Structure formats: C-alpha cells, structure tokens
C-alpha cells in the first residue's frame, strides 16, 4: 500500500528529525535547564480560594450568571417541573417561541418535561442531525458541573445530548446539586481515573455562545444557544429518578 | 486585496502607520484585551506559579517530544483515530485533499485553525474542487473579503462594522445595517445551511494529551462543536508541538489560555475528543483523522533558545502587549503569525532569507515576555535570530565584516570612555560643542547630508528627534551650586 508506506516514511522522518535535533541541542541544554525549576517541585495544588463562605450551589450560580447564563435553584421533582414551566412559558411570549422542544434520550428528562402543563407543537426525543435544526429549545441533563467557573460537564456516552444541547437557540440543562465540583481540577480528575478510560466526547459548557469578532462588541448566540438555563436540583436523587446518571 | 509579504515589512509597516482607521481599531482592541488579561491574571493568587508550572510541562514535553508523540499516537489509534504524519505544508494539504476526495466530499466546514492558515489549506482544497467555508465569525468575514487574519484571536480586528455590513450587503444580500447583533445572526443563519450540508469538518487542535490520546479544542462561538459533531468525517490538524503529557495537565493550561487570550476565566466551550464514538448509532462523526504537522518545527528543537518557540499556546497576549503590533497590526508582518511571537516563529518556519526584517521589528522592551503565559523569552529569541542573520550576512558579504570591525572599535572606545570619569566629562564637553552644528529649534532632527557621516545618529534621527545635551552637565551644576549650598 503506497499510502501507508508514505505515512510511515513521513513518520520516521519526523521522529528522526526530532531525535537528531534534540541530540544536537544537548551541549547547550545542560547550562539552560539547570536554571529551570524541576517540574515535580512545582506540583502544587492550584485550587482557588474557597467560595466566600457560600455553598457550591451559590458559587456555581454566581459564576454562571457572570457569563450571562441563567440559574434556577430548586428542590425536588416538583421544583424542576415548576422551573421548566416558568422558563418555557416566558420563552413562548418571545420571538424564541419555544413551540417545538427537543429532548435528550435521558428518560428522566422526558418524564419531567411530560409534567409541564403547557401546549407545544412538537416534542422530539434525541432528534437526528437532519431533524435537530427545526427545534426552538433543547432540554438535557448534565453529568456534572464546576462551581468556580459556572461550567456544565456533558459526557456523550451517558446521554444523547451532543446536538440537542448545541443546535437549538435555547438550551435548558438540569443538574443535581451533588454533582457540582468546586474546581476544574476536581472535575477533570473524575473524568479520568484508573477505573475507566476517558469518554470519547466530553464537552464543557460555560454560558451561552458568544463572539466579539465584530469591533469587539459582545454578541450572544452566534453558533450555539443564545440562552442557557441551568436548573440545579438540591434534592438528593432517588434510585428511580436519578437525573444525573439517567 | 494584495497579500503582503515578509520581505517588505518596512514598507508594510509604513503603510499601516498611515491608516488611521486601522490604528484606532488596534488601539481599542489591544488596550481592552490587555486590561482584561491583567484583571484575569490578578484574580488568581498563584499566576506566577501557574506560568512556571506550564513552562516546566512544555519543557518536559519538548525534551522528549518523540516519546510523547508516539504515546499520543498509539493511544489515539487504540481509540479509533487515524493518524497521518506530514513533513511539510504540501504533504499535509495532499493528505487532506486525498481524504476528502476519497470520501466524495463537496462541502467542507472549517473552524479557526492557525495551523491550516500556515499551510494555506483552503487554497489547496479549492483547487481540488471543494467548497470550503470558514465558520468562525471573524474567519468567515475574512474569507468573504478575501483577506487574511490580522490577529490570532480576533482575525477581523482590522475591519469596522460598517465595512462588514457593506460586505454582507454585497455578498449575502442583506439590507444595510450597522447593528452587530443583526450581522451576527445573519452569519448564524447563512452558516447553518453549510453545517447541515457539510461532508467533512476540519478543525485545529489546542492540546493533544499523550496519556489518553485526547484532543482538546477551545472556543466561544459553538462553531467548533458543530464542525466536530455534524459532518460524517472530522479531520483535526495539529502541530507536533501541541502535546501535553497527562490529562491532569489540562487544568493548568485551561487556567492560562483563556485568561491570557481574552481575559475570560474559561472560554464558553471546550471539546475533549478521544478517538471515535463507541457505538455506530451514537452522535458524532464516524471517522476521526489527526494530521500531525512538522513543517519546520522539529528544527527548532536544536537549541534551548529556539526550542522555547514551540512552547507557544497561541493566546495572542504578546500581540496585544507589543508597542510595535499596537501600531501596525498583523498584516504588516506579511505572514500567518504576527506580533512578537510571529517575529520569532515566522523566520524559523520560512527561513531567514525572506524574513530577515522581522526579528528587527521590536524595541526589545520585554512586554511580550512579561505577559507570556508560558514564559517564552521572546527578546532573547529575537537577539538570537538577529545574531544568526548577522553571521549569515557577514559570511556572504565581505563589506559587512569590515563594518563589524568598525562597530567593534566604536564600542571599545565607548567602553573606555564610560569607564573613565575624566574621559566621560570631556566627551560631554566635546559633544556640546559639536552639537551646535546640528541643533535646530532646540532639537536634533533629520541630519540630511551629515547623516551618512554619523551612522548611529543619522539612523536614529531619520524617524525621530533627539534631545540635545544640556548646556551644563549635572556634575557642573553640582560643583557650581548644589554641592556648596546643599546639606
């Protein structure tokens, strides 16, 4: 096969070039590197100072609102349904309409949305890439969140929410309060540990889509959602309705 | 628009300086980003530790780049990614053209990637008959205008909203508007159709994780998520230096890159992509191709000073901090990478022959070194390259060797003078007598015919005035008044 021959020779050339250039650098390196700190000596904990006395939920809410996201903190299933109802009812009065709603395939998301006492034209579950463009709102859960940055962690192996959280103009995410990490480092550590290999697609989401590409003027909602709502559920999840692992 | 080249840097810079609209835009952008960066850095108590830590991680990778690259490749392959090695830009473009042609692709969506700007991939794909659409708003504007980016982070920084509105009216047929939200939503609507139709998505890579084979891409708009989620094939183009050893290392770089680039705590989206999807029915592309590009990078490993160039994470902080970039913008550099980091990377990528003016496009003030999140000593790199240029020139040009002999003699005399109080004072006195011939209206301006007789003074006053020596030196004043009356 010519292609693989070519690739392997390019590979050998590049690796060979790396090795030979590193070797020719050796006489200069001794002087330079001694002045550098050893990497291990710098390994320290980079956790930011704890939230000014508040809870992780408070810190998460504050961080998310600082980047133009909306955050509603509720307790229990009834609270989540009420929050969904309020958000969708308000959207239905705007040009964002919220008449057709796409859901991820998390059954507890569907179970919650079914309880919303509002009329909609269409409810689609995990629509395909050709269908997803016609929806006004996407509703998903999030597998975790990060308080210090106001970030949602979406793991595509746990829920089919890659497109539903991205394509519609509005994204509503439901996350259990106990899934909020304080720091980015803690969230990363949970995503990669010895027991499991890293999931193929993990997405961090911090606020609505934004750009400042025209005269540095902030515009919200360029390619991703222009509105992001996060409903934080402080109720300890029951076995049946575990929203985070759904 | 004519694309500027590195060889005409001085002329490019002069033209940019005469463009008051450009300079206004640059002033706004660079000062805003500079302030935001500073505020974001100060919000972390351990910013300096983070910088040192990040640099130590990069040094570790670069000193063992072969090992880390092989680890990354084998991990990514285990997870289903296909790896392609490209020695240079032409090879990378040929690989990508072949991949798209073999898959019968017609429409390609691209997210912003400096590496594919470096290889001029779009031109190659278009030649192969593909329709290529840039989807980052700034890049999309640049593509419509048939221009090149002028900033690493904000590619269309040089254009006003009025110019963009006119462009959109002309190219997309919208009614004239100067509303940024309106322009943005026009781009969103137009590009949605392209995303829906695209066969292949091409992205860059911010970091490749050796431990897990993960690629990490940062953005604010969502176009990278669309580019890497909707088309059936995802091709990621990555310079060989983008490796980090472990998944944990992501933490440090996610703290540094957004804060240094835009002053954000975190950009809106990070996509962490590890190989292909687990089950065919999952969302996302069926194929992931990672193209590893050398294109002159491995050469930079040959010396610790040049090797630092490969630690760059493309945040753009040095552009915003640079008094030269602040005045002339990105296009004048005539290459993909502008500003201080461009002035050191471009000559190393393209060779010194065509880029010899770039390492001199700096006052060596050190602002770039101060803001660099990975502590690249750019002034030292500039001096290193300048000395290489001088070595090369003296080798081919005998006259230069003579000139250098003259220079050496001048510096010897200067050193002798500065070391002796008597000589120092005498030189001041002589200077005050001599300057009578060149001082006009209280300053030393252009020297005219005298310029060639007094080379350093002539070169200095070519572009700026020099303050003449005072009629009395400090020592003389001290002896006359202060020394006796003081205490």
């Amino acid at each position: 096969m010519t292609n693989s021959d070519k690739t392997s020779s390019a590979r050998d050339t590049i690796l060979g070039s790396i090795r030979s250039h590193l070797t020719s650098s050796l006489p200069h390196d001794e002087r330079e590197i001694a002045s550098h700190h050893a990497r291990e000596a710098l390994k320290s904990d980079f956790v930011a100072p704890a939230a000014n006395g508040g809870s992780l939920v408070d810190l998460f809410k504050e961080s998310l609102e600082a980047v133009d996201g909306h955050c509603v903190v509720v307790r229990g299933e009834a609270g989540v349904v009420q929050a969904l109802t309020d958000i969708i009812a308000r959207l239905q009065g705007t040009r964002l309409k919220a008449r057709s709603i796409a859901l991820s395939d998390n059954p507890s998301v569907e179970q919650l949305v079914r309880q919303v006492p509002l009329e909609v034209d269409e409810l689609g579950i995990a629509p395909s890439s050709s269908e997803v463009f016609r929806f006004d709102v996407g509703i998903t859960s999030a597998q975790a969140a990060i308080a210090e940055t106001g970030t949602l962690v979406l793991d595509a192996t746990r829920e089919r929410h890659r497109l539903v959280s991205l394509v519609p103009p509005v994204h509503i995410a439901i996350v259990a309060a106990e899934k909020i990490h304080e720091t980015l480092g803690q969230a990363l550590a949970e995503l990669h540990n010895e027991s499991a290999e890293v999931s193929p697609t993990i997405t961090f989401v911090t606020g609505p889509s934004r750009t400042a590409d025209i005269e540095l003027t902030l515009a919200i909602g360029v390619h991703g959602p222009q509105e992001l709502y996060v409903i934080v559920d402080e109720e300890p999840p029951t076995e049946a309705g575990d929203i985070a692992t759904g | 628009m004519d694309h500027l080249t590195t060889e005409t840097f001085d002329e490019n810079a002069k033209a940019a300086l005469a463009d008051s609209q450009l300079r206004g835009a640059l002033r706004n952008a660079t000062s805003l980003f500079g302030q935001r960066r500073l505020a974001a850095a100060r919000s972390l108590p351990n910013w300096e530790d983070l910088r040192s830590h990040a640099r130590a991680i990069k040094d570790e990778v670069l000193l063992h780049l072969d090992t880390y690259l092989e680890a990354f490749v084998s991990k990514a392959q285990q997870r289903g990614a296909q790896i392609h090695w490209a020695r240079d830009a032409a090879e990378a473009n040929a690989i990508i053209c072949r991949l798209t042609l073999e898959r019968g692709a017609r429409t390609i969506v691209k997210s912003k990637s400096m590496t594919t700007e470096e290889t001029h991939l779009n031109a190659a794909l278009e030649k192969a008959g593909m329709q290529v659409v840039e989807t980052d708003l700034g890049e999309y504007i640049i593509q419509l205008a048939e221009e090149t980016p002028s900033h690493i982070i904000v590619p269309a920084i040089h254009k006003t909203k009025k110019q963009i509105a006119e462009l959109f009216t002309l190219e997309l047929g919208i009614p004239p508007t100067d509303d940024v939200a309106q322009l943005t939503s026009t781009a969103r609507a137009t590009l949605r159709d392209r995303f829906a139709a695209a066969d292949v998505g091409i992205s860059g890579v911010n970091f490749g994780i050796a431990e897990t084979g993960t690629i990490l891409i940062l953005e604010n708009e969502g176009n990278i998520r669309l580019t890497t989620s909707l088309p059936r094939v995802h091709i990621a183009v990555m310079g060989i230096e983008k490796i980090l050893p472990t998944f944990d290392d992501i933490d440090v770089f996610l703290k540094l890159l957004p804060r240094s680039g835009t002053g954000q705590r975190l950009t809106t989206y990070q996509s962490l992509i590890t190989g292909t999807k687990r089950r065919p029915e999952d969302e996302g592309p069926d194929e992931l191709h990672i193209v590893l590009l050398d294109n002159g990078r491995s050469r930079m490993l040959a010396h610790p000073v040049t090797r630092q160039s490969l630690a760059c994470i493309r945040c753009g902080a040095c552009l915003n901090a640079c008094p030269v970039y602040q005045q002339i913008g990105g296009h004048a550099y005539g290459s993909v990478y502008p500003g201080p980091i461009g002035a050191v990377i471009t000559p190393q990528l393209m060779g010194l022959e065509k880029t010899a003016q770039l390492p001199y496009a700096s006052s060596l003030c050190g602002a770039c070194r101060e803001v660099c999140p990975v502590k690249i000593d750019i002034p030292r790199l500039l001096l290193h390259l300048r000395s290489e240029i001088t070595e090369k020139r003296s080798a081919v040009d005998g006259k230069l060797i003579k000139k250098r002999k003259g220079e050496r003699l001048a510096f010897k005399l200067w050193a002798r003078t500065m070391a002796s109080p008597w000589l120092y004072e005498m030189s001041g006195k002589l200077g005050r007598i001599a300057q009578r011939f060149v001082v006009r209206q209280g300053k030393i301006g252009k020297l005219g015919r005298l310029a060639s007789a007094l080379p350093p003074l002539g070169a200095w006053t070519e572009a700026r005035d020099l303050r003449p020596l005072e009629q009395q030196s400090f020592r003389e004043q001290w002896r006359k008044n202060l020394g006796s009356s003081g205490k």
Side-chain angles (χ1 to χ4, degrees):
Chain A
M1 283 223 320
T2 52
N3 282 338
S4 79
D5 286 353
K6 250 187 179 171
T7 299
S8 83
S9 75
R11 174 182 173 278
D12 295 346
T13 312
I14 293 170
L15 289 173
S17 168
I18 289 172
R19 287 180 192 125
S20 72
H21 284 106
L22 280 173
T23 306
S24 61
S25 177
L26 280 174
H28 310 286
D29 288 348
E30 280 166 35
R31 251 198 348 244
E32 292 281 329
I33 290 165
S35 66
H36 271 269
H37 299 278
R39 185 178 173 214
E40 287 311 308
L42 286 157
K43 275 235 163 179
S44 60
D45 201 9
F46 287 112
V47 173
N52 23 339
S55 69
L56 287 186
V57 173
D58 291 340
L59 178 59
F60 174 77
K61 184 172 157 68
E62 191 186 307
S63 308
L64 178 58
E65 285 170 350
V67 290
D68 307 292
H70 305 283
C71 185
V72 191
V73 182
V74 298
R75 192 172 285 276
E77 190 174 293
V80 176
V81 173
Q82 187 58 50
L84 282 171
T85 310
D86 293 344
I87 294 165
I88 295 168
R90 192 168 57 240
L91 290 170
Q92 286 187 336
T94 70
R95 60 182 180 80
L96 291 166
K97 295 188 301 202
R99 301 294 306 182
S100 60
I101 295 178
L103 310 180
S104 71
D105 67 349
N106 181 344
S108 51
V109 169
E110 185 187 351
Q111 187 252 331
L112 290 163
V113 174
R114 293 271 179 212
Q115 295 177 58
V116 172
L118 292 170
E119 197 184 309
V120 295
D121 299 337
E122 187 183 8
L123 211 58
I125 294 171
S128 71
S129 57
S130 56
E131 298 160 339
V132 70
F133 284 91
R134 66 168 184 265
F135 290 91
D136 305 323
V137 176
I139 305 179
T140 72
S141 68
Q143 280 59 54
I146 303 166
E148 65 171 355
T149 48
T151 302
L152 295 172
V153 179
L154 307 180
D155 179 345
T157 50
R158 309 259 293 275
E159 182 175 345
R160 196 180 170 87
H161 52 17
R162 194 162 168 177
L163 297 176
V164 170
S165 66
L166 173 61
V167 176
V170 180
H171 177 207
I172 305 174
I174 305 162
V175 65
E178 57 160 26
K179 295 289 177 184
I180 301 178
H181 300 282
E182 182 175 357
T183 66
L184 179 67
Q186 289 163 2
L188 287 167
E190 198 191 72
L191 290 168
H192 174 61
N193 49 51
E194 283 92 54
S195 60
E197 54 177 11
V198 178
S199 160
T201 316
I202 298 162
T203 311
F204 292 168
V205 176
T206 310
S209 150
R210 60 178 60 222
T211 184
D213 272 352
I214 301 179
E215 285 196 356
L216 299 177
T217 309
L218 179 67
I220 301 283
V222 52
H223 289 295
Q226 52 185 287
E227 294 208 12
L228 172 67
Y229 295 86
V230 179
I231 301 171
V232 179
D233 183 2
E234 290 192 303
E235 181 88 340
T238 60
E239 296 235 329
D242 186 345
I243 194 82
T245 53
Chain B
M1 173 185 152
D2 293 332
H3 289 179
L4 305 173
T5 69
T6 51
E7 288 149 288
T8 54
F9 174 80
D10 288 350
E11 289 83 1
N12 307 348
K14 263 185 199 136
L17 287 173
D19 184 343
S20 59
Q21 180 254 306
L22 173 72
R23 293 179 67 187
L26 286 168
R27 199 158 42 236
N28 289 342
T30 55
S31 67
L32 184 72
F33 278 137
Q35 290 158 15
R36 284 191 189 157
R37 189 207 69 86
L38 196 62
R42 282 184 177 155
S43 75
L44 284 179
N46 51 0
W47 185 252
E48 289 307 310
D49 290 344
L50 278 170
R51 291 175 72 204
S52 306
H53 190 170
R55 179 56 186 275
I57 291 172
K58 276 292 188 181
D59 282 346
E60 159 73 17
V61 170
L62 294 172
L63 279 172
H64 308 98
L65 187 58
D66 51 339
T67 316
Y68 282 112
L69 259 179
E70 287 192 294
F72 170 79
V73 164
S74 93
K75 209 66 204 168
Q77 281 172 333
Q78 268 174 41
R79 298 292 303 265
Q82 298 179 54
I83 305 288
H84 308 269
W85 299 79
R87 280 164 286 208
D88 54 27
E91 192 167 29
N93 292 347
I95 290 166
I96 296 166
C97 287
R98 175 174 58 74
L99 288 173
T100 52
L101 284 168
E102 279 173 4
R103 280 151 191 80
R106 297 296 307 269
T107 306
I108 294 170
V109 282
K110 266 189 78 205
S111 58
K112 186 159 84 80
S113 149
M114 296 304 295
T115 311
T116 63
E117 292 282 349
E118 177 188 325
T119 62
H120 303 289
L121 173 63
N122 289 8
L125 283 169
E126 278 160 14
K127 218 171 150 193
M130 304 288 155
Q131 193 184 34
V132 189
V133 186
E134 291 287 351
T135 59
D136 171 86
L137 179 59
E139 286 279 344
Y140 179 60
I141 292 165
I142 296 295
Q143 192 186 29
L144 282 181
E146 295 179 27
E147 293 179 14
T148 53
S150 61
H151 191 283
I152 295 179
I153 303 289
V154 205
I157 208 168
H158 59 287
K159 296 191 91 71
T160 63
K161 66 179 171 192
K162 194 164 161 271
Q163 293 171 323
I164 294 164
E166 282 163 9
L167 184 69
F168 278 21
T169 304
L170 187 74
E171 298 285 333
L172 307 175
I174 63 160
T177 175
D178 64 350
D179 180 18
V180 171
Q182 180 67 42
L183 293 169
T184 305
S185 69
T186 302
R188 174 185 169 106
T190 312
L191 289 169
R192 293 250 128 175
D193 299 338
R194 305 309 183 99
F195 279 120
D199 309 298
V200 174
I202 299 179
S203 76
V205 172
N206 289 106
F207 303 103
I209 315 299
E211 181 188 21
T212 56
T214 305
I215 55 174
L216 168 57
I217 324 176
L218 282 75
E219 61 163 333
N220 281 310
E221 296 186 1
N223 63 308
I224 294 179
R225 288 179 70 194
L226 289 165
T227 301
T228 59
S229 296
L230 285 168
R232 209 180 60 71
V233 180
H234 172 199
I235 302 174
V237 186
M238 171 176 161
I240 52 171
E241 82 282 20
K242 297 270 168 114
I243 302 283
L244 299 180
T246 70
F247 198 79
D248 289 345
D249 294 327
I250 292 173
D251 188 22
V252 179
F253 287 89
L254 281 188
K255 285 191 165 71
L256 288 168
L257 177 50
R259 282 181 170 88
S260 301
T262 55
Q264 290 172 286
R265 247 187 288 186
L266 205 54
T267 58
T268 307
Y269 305 119
Q270 288 80 41
S271 298
L272 293 104
I273 299 169
T274 310
T276 47
K277 55 192 181 187
R278 286 206 178 125
R279 299 165 305 177
E281 65 271 26
D282 286 345
E283 294 176 291
D286 300 326
E287 297 175 33
L288 169 64
H289 298 268
I290 301 174
V291 181
L292 294 168
L293 176 72
D294 183 342
N295 205 30
R297 286 166 172 75
S298 56
R299 272 203 307 270
M300 300 183 203
L301 293 166
H303 193 284
V305 172
T306 55
R307 191 164 60 229
Q308 320 176 62
S309 330
L310 298 174
C312 175
I313 56 173
R314 309 280 190 264
C315 69
C318 63
L319 278 58
N320 302 325
C322 176
V324 176
Y325 181 90
Q326 284 170 3
Q327 299 302 326
I328 63 173
H331 286 154
Y333 292 84
S335 84
V336 180
Y337 303 108
I341 193 65
V344 297
I345 287 183
T346 307
Q348 297 184 79
L349 290 176
M350 294 175 57
L352 291 168
E353 293 75 27
K354 290 187 166 180
T355 58
Q357 292 177 20
L358 293 182
Y360 294 89
S362 167
S363 62
L364 300 177
C365 73
C368 47
R369 181 177 50 204
E370 292 294 305
V371 298
C372 177
V374 287
K375 294 193 164 177
I376 300 174
D377 191 345
I378 296 177
R380 189 164 173 211
L381 253 161
L382 289 164
L383 289 174
H384 184 94
L385 293 171
R386 286 182 191 183
S387 94
E388 261 184 46
I389 290 166
T390 313
E391 293 293 328
K392 251 188 199 152
R393 281 194 188 148
S394 353
V396 291
D397 189 349
K399 258 194 247 163
L400 255 154
I401 296 175
K402 261 188 216 155
K403 197 175 165 189
R404 289 179 76 204
K405 274 187 187 153
E407 241 177 65
R408 276 202 198 123
L409 185 67
F411 275 112
K412 248 184 208 161
L413 273 172
W414 183 76
R416 179 77 57 81
T417 309
M418 297 310 269
S420 145
W422 184 81
L423 276 176
Y424 174 76
E425 213 162 341
M426 275 314 290
S427 70
K429 280 183 180 151
L430 280 172
R432 261 173 278 152
I433 296 166
Q435 74 183 6
R436 284 184 202 154
F437 301 101
V438 288
V439 173
R440 303 270 177 278
Q441 294 165 341
K443 59 194 184 211
I444 303 173
K446 274 197 187 184
L447 293 184
R449 267 187 305 156
L450 271 173
S452 54
L454 303 161
L457 198 60
W460 177 273
T461 52
E462 185 58 33
R464 62 218 129 173
D465 295 332
L466 186 68
R467 277 186 65 162
L469 296 166
E470 288 296 330
Q471 275 318 302
Q472 269 190 338
S473 75
F474 178 76
R475 285 154 170 270
E476 286 163 350
Q477 290 180 39
W478 181 263
R479 278 197 293 264
K480 221 178 206 172
N481 313 313
L482 306 167
S484 51
S485 67
K487 285 179 203 166

